[in-house]
């Protein structure tokens, strides 16, 4: 528009709210503001003013706009926001984005290549990437993300924004979004978010008469006569867009003139009743060529590329640019600042007004010509062109072509991780497509989209007309339903779908068609967790692997070989490794980097179990981070974390558990979160922290938690009981673990059957040599952790001290387990009179004393005394306690806690340094307050500095 106010008028209260919000962001508290109101109310103008304030305060700015082409173009406004960083010259060290860089590359291709990993195309992974980007961009002065026209945003963009809103509270990020107050998913989202106090919702109202006068005065830099103000008030109804549009019209028409710096009305005339009259006037003054140009643009949408308009109209660039610069068109259309060679109507209402002036049959013809132009200019209609072409074909009445292109747009949206948008697009495709093969392709994609979008119930409840489809195609649909059921944990539903698929194919189905069904069936069989299920799963997976490798079906082959690697490890670790190496080689040969990394993760687990080495797991983690395979990365860290616990590196294990648990919760990775809960319990058990162990036990109450029962009892609770010197409870825990392992076969190891159980039974005399020989004959008994305990059990059975020495080498990586073994063997050796029990018990006592495990250290000292060995009471460090504190009863350990309080460490940090539980630290702090007579931690910290 020619006339535009240089300042925001009539929004003083709203601007003050935005300034207050910016002040909160400056303190590191993320804020969200939604601006809503009717079209033309000034939402974008206010957002621009807020952007200026944010920029002036030193914040980096990202800005995007919802696509008026359609609400199902995935992530359009987010992509524009990322690209705006480059336009504004904001430097981003994209390497700091780690595994989230490939996810964001879907929005900004300049940041690398995307990955075909399903986990990395996850909507939540993308959302986490956006969150981390805003934190990175705003690290120095904060980040303002401004999104205009959110009412046009696709549902997946809203999901990403919801995730960001829920997680920006502790980073200096401001999110401002504008939207119309019409019914839309965006408005519903904004209202719901504001009700839970996660955002501020500012509803803009029409200007009052006095504010209309102020706006007009700001536009013309002077006071207007009363007749002009009356005309503006009557014609605009207080809507800022209409005020400026009508003001421009009466100035252009010569009805409002300026003489001697004073504005006067030359002719009152008849006031325009609405914007459409103004648009119609300008549209009517255009020649035929210019009118066709504007008509084509309006049919395409609010925003349009000049290349397509040129293709439709046949006009050259020089002519088009001349029209764009002409007075009538310049009031309707202007350049799009976000995208070169794109233009947009000055307001959505202007585009709507133009459409009302074009007959429907002309609109349909223009839409057809525009679609033809898009396909000619952009072969294969890449990216957003596919969706634009679909909408144009539909507007042209070409429903079959539109349906086919909606299906393709849906598949592309799904590949981008925009599952909800894909569902919407594919729904539209299924409404328009009637060809059986095309409907099958859309249905197959829709089932996958529903699964990825978390709408598994809807997928399983889908009724589809399969008439016209052959049996193999129908079987593929039911196979997809079976996989959806598997992901949802609905094993019986999945198995039922597998049976339907198999029945459709018949007994003589070719192996190539059956292989994808077999892989799904094997996963479902694994989830049944009943006697014989592992064997059945292995048989079916092996059949699928052989067929898929021969055909080839690369992904099916990789899935099958890796599943076989997990299934055979318990029986034959060497064969399991061979299967995984086969999967990895196949993935490399067929350029499947994600499946190569998944194989590497499983191979790294084999290394860790067999030798205790984690180098390959770390390699897998680094590769997964590099290409954005988020699930593979966290799977690596699950296994690394377990090895850290077994190695006694409790501080590193605790930090990893907290980091991955937090990420898994935010990303909605339920399986990873469950593994972390188990690892937290194992860590607590190996620290002798009964309280934390009990808290982590809640994993058993979650779906799928029963598969972890054996490990929770055998690797967590049993060790906690042993560190408490509660042998009967440890025995009971281990019996529960072994019973659970028999009742619910799993692919997990280290539950105690091949190691610790042998040692405990050897010590209490209930293990025979024949039983021992039978059990250790299993290839899985060679896993390093279990082998260490098995060697000690053999030493007790044969009273062979050399095997104790051998066990020390095997258990070198596992200090807590090694010294616990010495404590148990020392007891048996002292009782039966063999070996060097004094040395073993003293070694164990020193370790457990130094690590604060008083119960075991005390038991070792008691055993030594029973042997007649003189044992002095340990007072190490007593001389360091100041006399005043010692006389108050402060112990050595309490003084250690006091000194760390002086360093301003939190309880969990103190616990990590002293290798005790946070609960124990809390008790020491309470005791210090009582003994010193002080009232709080701050006072204790000051005492620590003076005592030193």
């Amino acid at each position: 528009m020619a006339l535009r106010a240089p300042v925001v008028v009539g929004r003083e209260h709203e601007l003050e709210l935005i300034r207050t919000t910016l002040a909160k962001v400056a303190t590191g508290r993320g804020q969200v503001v939604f601006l809503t109101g009717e079209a033309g109310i000034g939402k974008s103008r206010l957002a621009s003013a807020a952007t200026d304030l944010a920029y002036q305060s030193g914040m980096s700015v990202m800005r995007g706009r919802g696509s008026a082409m359609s609400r199902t173009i995935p992530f359009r406004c987010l992509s524009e926001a990322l690209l705006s960083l480059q336009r504004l010259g904001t430097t981003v060290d994209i390497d700091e984005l780690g595994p989230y860089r490939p996810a964001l590359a879907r929005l900004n291709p300049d940041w690398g290549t995307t990955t075909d990993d399903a986990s990395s195309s996850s909507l939540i992974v993308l959302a986490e990437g956006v969150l981390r980007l805003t934190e990175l961009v705003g690290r120095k002065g904060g980040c303002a993300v401004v999104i205009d026209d959110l009412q046009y945003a696709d549902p997946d963009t809203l999901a990403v924004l919801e995730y960001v809103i829920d997680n920006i509270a502790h980073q200096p990020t401001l999110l401002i979004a504008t939207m119309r107050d019409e019914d839309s998913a965006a408005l519903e989202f904004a209202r719901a978010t504001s009700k839970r106090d996660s955002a501020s919702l500012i509803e803009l109202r029409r200007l009052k008469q006095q504010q209309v006068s102020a706006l007009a005065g700001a536009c013309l830099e002077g006071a207007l006569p009363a007749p002009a103000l009356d005309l503006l008030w009557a014609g605009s109804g207080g809507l800022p867009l209409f005020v400026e549009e009508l003001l421009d019209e009466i100035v252009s028409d010569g009805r409002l003139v300026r003489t001697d710096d004073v504005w006067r009305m030359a002719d009152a005339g008849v006031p325009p009743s609405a914007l459409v009259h103004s648009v119609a006037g300008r549209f009517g003054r255009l020649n035929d060529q210019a009118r066709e140009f504007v008509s084509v643009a309006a049919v395409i949408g609010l925003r349009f590329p000049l290349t397509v308009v040129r293709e439709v109209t046949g006009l050259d660039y020089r002519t088009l640019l001349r029209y764009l610069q002409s007075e009538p068109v310049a009031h309707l259309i202007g350049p799009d600042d976000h995208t070169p060679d794109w233009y947009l109507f000055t307001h959505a209402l202007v585009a709507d007004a133009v459409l009302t002036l074009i007959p429907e049959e002309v609109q349909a013809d223009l839409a057809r010509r525009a679609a033809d132009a898009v396909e000619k200019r952009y072969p294969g209609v890449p990216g957003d062109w596919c969706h634009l072409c679909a909408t144009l074909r539909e507007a042209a009445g070409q429903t079959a072509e539109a349906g086919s292109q909606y299906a393709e747009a849906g598949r592309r949206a799904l590949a981008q991780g925009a599952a909800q948008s894909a569902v919407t697009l594919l729904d539209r495709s299924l409404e328009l497509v009637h060809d059986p093969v095309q409907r099958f392709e859309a249905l197959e994609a829709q089932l996958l989209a529903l699964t990825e979008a978390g709408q598994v119930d809807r997928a399983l409840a889908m009724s589809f007309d399969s008439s016209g489809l052959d049996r193999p195609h129908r079987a593929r649909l039911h196979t997809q339903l079976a996989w959806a059921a598997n992901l949802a944990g609905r094993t019986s539903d999945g198995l039922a779908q597998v049976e339907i698929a198999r029945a459709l194919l018949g007994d003589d189905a070719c192996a190539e068609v059956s292989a994808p069904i077999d892989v799904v069936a094997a996963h479902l069989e694994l989830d049944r967790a009943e006697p014989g299920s592992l064997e059945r799963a292995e048989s079916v997976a092996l059949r699928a692997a052989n067929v898929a490798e021969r055909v080839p079906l690369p992904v099916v082959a990789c899935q099958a070989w890796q599943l076989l690697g997990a299934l055979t490890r318990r029986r034959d670790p060497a064969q399991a490794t061979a299967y995984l190496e086969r999967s990895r080689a196949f993935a490399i040969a067929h350029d499947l980097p994600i499946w190569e990394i998944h194989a590497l993760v499983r191979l790294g687990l084999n290394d860790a179990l067999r030798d205790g080495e984690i180098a390959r797991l770390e390699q897998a983690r680094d590769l997964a981070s590099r290409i954005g395979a988020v699930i593979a990365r966290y799977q690596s860290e699950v296994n690394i974390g377990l090895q850290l616990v077994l190695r006694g590196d409790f501080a590193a294990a605790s930090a990893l558990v907290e980091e991955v648990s937090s990420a898994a919760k935010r990303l909605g990775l339920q399986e990873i979160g469950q593994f972390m809960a188990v690892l937290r319990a194992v860590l607590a058990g190996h620290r002798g922290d009964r309280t934390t162990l009990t808290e982590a036990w809640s994993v058993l109450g979650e779906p799928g938690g029963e598969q972890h029962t054996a490990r929770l009892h055998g690797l967590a609770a049993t060790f906690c009981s042993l560190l408490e010197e509660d042998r009967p409870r440890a025995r009971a825990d281990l019996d529960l673990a072994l019973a659970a392992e028999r009742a619910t076969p799993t692919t997990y190891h280290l539950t105690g059957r091949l190691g610790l159980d042998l040692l405990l039974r050897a010590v209490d005399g209930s293990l025979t040599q024949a039983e021992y020989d039978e059990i250790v004959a299993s290839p899985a008994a060679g896993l390093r952790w279990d082998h260490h305990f098995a060697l000690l059990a053999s030493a007790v059975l044969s009273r062979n001290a050399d095997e104790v020495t051998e066990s020390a080498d095997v258990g070198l990586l596992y200090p807590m387990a090694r010294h616990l073994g010495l404590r148990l063997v020392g007891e048996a050796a002292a009782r039966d009179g063999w070996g060097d029990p004094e040395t073993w018990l003293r070694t164990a006592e020193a370790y457990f004393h130094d690590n604060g495990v008083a119960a075991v250290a005390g038991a070792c000292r008691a055993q030594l005394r029973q042997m007649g060995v003189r044992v002095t009471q340990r007072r190490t460090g007593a001389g360091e306690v100041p006399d005043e504190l010692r006389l108050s009863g402060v112990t050595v350990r309490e003084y250690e806690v006091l000194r760390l309080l002086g360093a301003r460490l939190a309880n969990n940090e103190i616990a990590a340094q002293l290798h005790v539980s946070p609960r124990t630290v809390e008790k020491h702090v309470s005791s210090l307050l009582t003994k010193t007579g002080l009232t709080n931690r701050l006072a204790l910290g000051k005492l620590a500095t003076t005592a030193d």
Side-chain angles (χ1 to χ4, degrees):
M1 298 172 196
L3 293 177
R4 184 179 176 90
V7 295
V8 177
V9 176
R11 306 300 185 198
E12 291 76 14
H13 174 66
E14 290 83 356
L15 283 170
E16 186 57 34
L17 287 176
I18 290 171
R19 291 189 184 95
T20 301
T21 299
L22 285 169
K24 292 178 180 178
V25 173
T27 66
R29 292 180 291 165
Q31 301 291 307
V32 181
V33 176
F34 290 117
L35 303 177
T36 182
E38 62 184 303
I41 201 69
K43 303 180 293 296
S44 296
R45 184 83 60 88
L46 184 57
S48 294
T51 304
D52 291 341
L53 291 172
Y55 187 77
Q56 292 165 14
S57 70
M59 298 178 73
S60 297
V61 175
M62 301 167 61
R63 189 157 191 173
R65 180 193 294 116
S67 172
M69 289 183 185
S70 172
R71 291 176 173 82
T72 48
I73 294 181
F75 315 123
R76 183 57 180 262
C77 59
L78 294 176
S79 181
E80 284 193 357
L82 265 66
L83 292 170
S84 70
L85 289 171
Q86 294 165 273
R87 289 195 301 272
L88 296 173
T90 303
T91 302
V92 180
D93 185 358
I94 55 178
D95 289 336
E96 288 196 45
L97 294 170
Y100 299 97
R101 176 177 171 181
L104 291 173
R106 292 151 52 194
L107 305 182
N108 184 353
D110 291 338
W111 286 2
T113 57
T114 59
T115 170
D116 59 356
D117 178 31
S119 67
S120 298
S121 62
S122 158
L123 193 64
I124 301 301
V125 173
L126 175 63
E128 177 72 9
V130 172
L131 179 69
R132 296 197 182 202
L133 174 65
T134 58
E135 188 276 331
L136 178 61
V137 171
R139 189 166 291 173
K140 293 183 179 179
C143 176
V145 182
V146 183
I147 298 179
D148 291 306
D149 293 329
L150 192 64
Q151 73 272 4
Y152 295 131
D154 58 287
D156 297 284
T157 291
L158 297 182
V160 170
L161 292 179
E162 182 175 23
Y163 181 92
V164 171
I165 290 169
D166 288 342
N167 291 283
I168 64 169
H170 302 295
Q171 65 181 58
T173 301
L174 171 64
L175 171 63
I176 296 179
T178 72
M179 72 200 74
R180 294 187 189 177
D181 60 356
E182 304 165 354
D183 287 339
S184 67
L187 183 60
E188 183 179 338
F189 163 68
R191 287 173 175 167
T193 306
S194 64
K195 285 180 181 178
R196 63 174 191 262
D197 296 327
S198 298
S200 299
L201 181 63
I202 299 178
E203 301 183 51
L204 301 184
R205 305 298 181 189
R206 292 196 176 199
L207 300 180
K208 298 178 180 178
Q209 189 167 5
Q210 185 177 1
Q211 293 169 325
V212 169
S213 299
L215 176 60
C219 287
L220 297 179
E221 299 181 356
L224 271 66
L229 294 174
D230 291 341
L231 183 66
L232 293 175
W233 175 248
S236 71
L239 200 65
L241 173 70
F242 286 4
V243 173
E244 293 174 330
E245 178 69 22
L246 298 177
L247 183 61
D248 182 80
E249 183 175 345
I250 61 176
V251 170
S252 300
D253 290 348
R255 282 181 280 174
L256 180 63
V257 296
R258 188 168 188 166
T259 56
D260 299 328
D261 294 331
V262 176
W263 289 99
R264 303 178 186 280
M265 285 293 291
D267 180 11
V270 179
S273 60
L275 180 67
V276 68
H277 295 89
S278 175
V279 173
R282 289 192 171 91
F283 191 71
R285 293 199 297 272
L286 299 175
N287 63 32
D288 291 343
Q289 278 190 341
R291 189 179 298 116
E292 183 185 30
F293 162 38
V294 174
S295 299
V296 171
V299 167
I300 293 174
L302 176 61
R303 300 170 67 248
F304 59 89
L306 210 56
T307 53
V308 173
V309 175
R310 180 189 175 195
E311 192 72 41
V312 175
T313 61
L315 300 174
D316 58 36
Y317 270 116
R318 184 183 298 275
T319 302
L320 291 174
L321 291 174
R322 186 176 71 250
Y323 285 139
L324 284 167
Q325 294 166 5
S326 66
E327 186 273 334
V329 176
H331 282 77
L332 304 175
I333 297 171
D336 182 354
D337 295 333
H338 292 282
T339 312
D341 202 40
W342 280 63
Y343 288 78
L344 74 168
F345 285 88
T346 53
H347 197 280
L349 292 177
V350 175
D352 293 341
V354 171
L355 287 175
T356 64
L357 304 171
I358 307 173
E360 289 187 5
E361 63 275 11
V362 175
Q363 287 190 42
D365 180 63
L366 292 177
R368 178 188 56 77
R369 290 164 55 193
D372 291 342
V374 170
E375 292 181 352
K376 179 181 178 180
R377 183 69 177 78
Y378 303 99
V381 285
D384 295 346
W385 298 112
C386 180
H387 187 276
L388 172 59
C389 203
T391 58
L392 291 171
R393 293 293 182 198
E394 186 176 9
Q398 298 173 302
T399 56
E401 295 87 341
S404 177
Q405 287 173 326
Y406 276 126
E408 177 59 26
R411 285 189 287 270
R412 293 179 184 179
L414 186 59
Q416 284 186 277
Q420 296 183 65
S421 295
V423 168
T424 303
L425 288 164
L426 291 163
D427 276 342
R428 188 65 186 137
S429 173
L430 290 169
E431 291 174 5
L432 299 174
V433 169
H434 300 290
D435 177 75
V437 175
Q438 287 186 335
R439 284 190 62 79
F440 159 74
E441 292 173 348
L443 275 169
E444 188 175 41
Q446 181 67 305
L447 290 173
L448 180 57
L450 288 168
T451 303
E452 292 294 324
Q455 300 181 42
V456 176
D457 287 341
R458 181 184 163 191
L460 294 175
M462 279 187 69
S463 59
F464 44 81
D465 180 9
S466 57
S467 59
L469 291 178
D470 59 19
R471 286 174 172 265
H473 281 92
R474 291 160 62 191
R476 280 172 57 179
L477 293 177
H478 287 285
T479 301
Q480 186 62 57
L481 284 172
W483 184 248
N486 172 61
L487 294 178
R490 293 168 57 169
T491 304
S492 59
D493 288 334
L495 291 170
Q497 293 296 330
V498 166
E499 290 305 314
I500 294 173
R502 292 199 190 284
L504 284 168
L505 294 176
D507 296 334
D508 57 347
C510 69
E512 177 181 346
V513 175
S514 298
I517 304 175
D518 287 341
V519 168
V520 178
H523 281 87
L524 289 164
E525 198 64 56
L526 189 63
D527 290 341
R528 295 174 81 169
E530 62 185 33
S533 61
L534 298 186
E535 289 74 15
R536 289 191 295 272
E538 183 177 341
S539 173
V540 174
L542 183 60
R543 182 173 66 206
N546 287 323
V547 171
E549 190 173 67
R550 185 178 68 250
V551 170
L553 301 171
V555 172
V556 174
C558 290
Q559 289 175 315
W561 289 126
Q562 290 181 25
L563 180 58
L564 285 165
L567 289 167
T568 57
R569 188 189 295 117
R570 74 195 190 284
R571 186 185 68 251
D572 190 344
Q575 182 62 60
T577 299
Y579 281 147
L580 294 174
E581 290 288 7
R582 197 167 180 174
S583 173
R584 186 183 182 196
F586 207 71
I588 293 172
H590 291 273
D591 193 23
L592 298 172
I594 294 300
W595 288 105
E596 178 190 356
I597 290 176
H598 280 295
L600 198 61
V601 172
R602 295 177 185 269
L603 286 166
L605 175 58
N606 278 6
D607 293 346
L609 291 172
R610 184 181 60 250
D611 304 318
E613 296 297 329
I614 61 174
R616 190 141 50 170
L617 282 172
E618 291 174 335
Q619 179 190 2
R621 177 189 61 191
D622 295 342
L623 285 174
S625 295
R626 197 174 306 156
I627 72 166
V630 175
I631 297 296
R633 172 185 171 170
Y634 290 139
Q635 287 174 339
S636 301
E637 293 188 319
V638 165
N639 296 315
I640 291 171
L642 177 59
Q643 291 302 311
L644 290 174
V645 174
L646 301 185
R647 291 178 176 209
D649 194 347
F650 299 145
S654 180
L656 184 145
V657 167
E658 294 305 320
E659 178 184 352
V660 178
S661 295
S662 176
K665 183 178 180 180
R666 289 205 310 271
L667 297 174
L669 305 177
Q670 295 182 0
E671 185 178 44
I672 297 297
Q674 195 172 77
F675 281 131
M676 281 296 114
V678 174
L679 187 54
R680 190 190 303 276
V682 174
L683 173 61
H686 284 237
R687 280 178 154 176
D689 181 0
R690 177 70 64 179
T691 301
T692 303
L693 173 61
T694 302
E695 292 172 354
W697 206 266
S698 61
V699 69
L700 285 174
E702 300 175 2
E706 62 279 354
Q707 63 183 320
H708 302 294
T709 302
R711 184 172 280 189
L712 282 166
H713 280 290
L715 197 56
T718 299
F719 279 88
C720 190
S721 298
L722 288 173
L723 295 179
E724 294 168 339
E725 279 296 319
D726 189 343
R727 195 75 60 80
R729 186 171 187 175
R731 183 66 262 172
D733 285 325
L734 195 47
D735 287 342
L736 287 171
L738 300 182
E741 190 174 29
R742 288 190 298 271
T744 309
T746 72
T747 58
Y748 307 118
H749 300 270
L750 311 185
T751 56
R753 182 176 64 87
L754 301 175
L756 184 59
D757 179 59
L758 297 175
L759 176 56
L760 290 179
R761 290 172 60 196
V763 170
D764 67 24
S766 63
L767 179 68
T768 67
Q769 186 67 49
E771 288 177 306
Y772 174 87
D773 292 340
E774 180 183 356
I775 291 172
V776 299
S778 166
L783 301 181
R784 185 166 181 168
W785 174 264
D786 284 333
H787 185 46
H788 160 254
F789 288 114
L791 282 171
L792 291 174
S794 179
V796 173
L797 287 174
S798 61
R799 301 184 181 184
N800 184 350
D802 290 340
E803 288 187 298
V804 177
T805 302
E806 184 182 353
S807 76
D809 292 334
V810 176
L812 188 63
L813 284 176
Y814 314 123
M816 191 278 288
R818 181 161 57 90
H819 288 93
L820 186 61
L822 289 177
R823 179 263 176 278
L824 295 169
V825 170
E827 174 187 317
R831 180 191 65 211
D832 299 333
W834 62 276
D836 188 4
E838 179 178 344
T839 299
W840 298 337
L841 289 167
R842 283 191 182 278
T843 302
E845 190 276 340
Y847 172 83
F848 287 111
H849 171 80
D850 292 344
N851 286 279
V853 187
V856 182
C860 290
R861 289 194 293 271
Q863 184 69 53
L864 287 166
R865 292 191 186 97
Q866 289 180 17
M867 295 163 54
V869 177
R870 185 174 180 275
V871 182
T872 58
Q873 185 66 31
R874 281 184 173 270
R875 297 284 184 185
T876 304
E880 297 179 10
V881 181
D883 292 343
E884 182 179 354
L885 294 177
R886 190 173 66 254
L887 292 173
S888 299
V890 174
T891 66
V892 174
R893 181 45 63 94
E894 288 171 350
Y895 183 62
E896 291 174 342
V897 172
L898 179 64
R899 295 180 67 179
L900 293 174
L901 285 172
R904 298 188 178 183
L905 298 184
N907 283 3
N908 61 335
E909 294 172 315
I910 295 173
Q913 289 207 22
L914 298 182
H915 302 290
V916 297
S917 71
R919 179 65 176 164
T920 299
V921 175
E922 184 179 340
K923 291 179 180 178
H924 286 317
V925 172
S926 178
S927 178
L928 283 167
L929 292 172
T930 300
K931 292 177 179 180
T932 61
L934 298 176
T935 57
N936 54 50
R937 291 172 62 97
L938 181 61
L940 286 175
K942 292 180 179 178
L943 175 63
T945 58
T946 58
D948 283 342

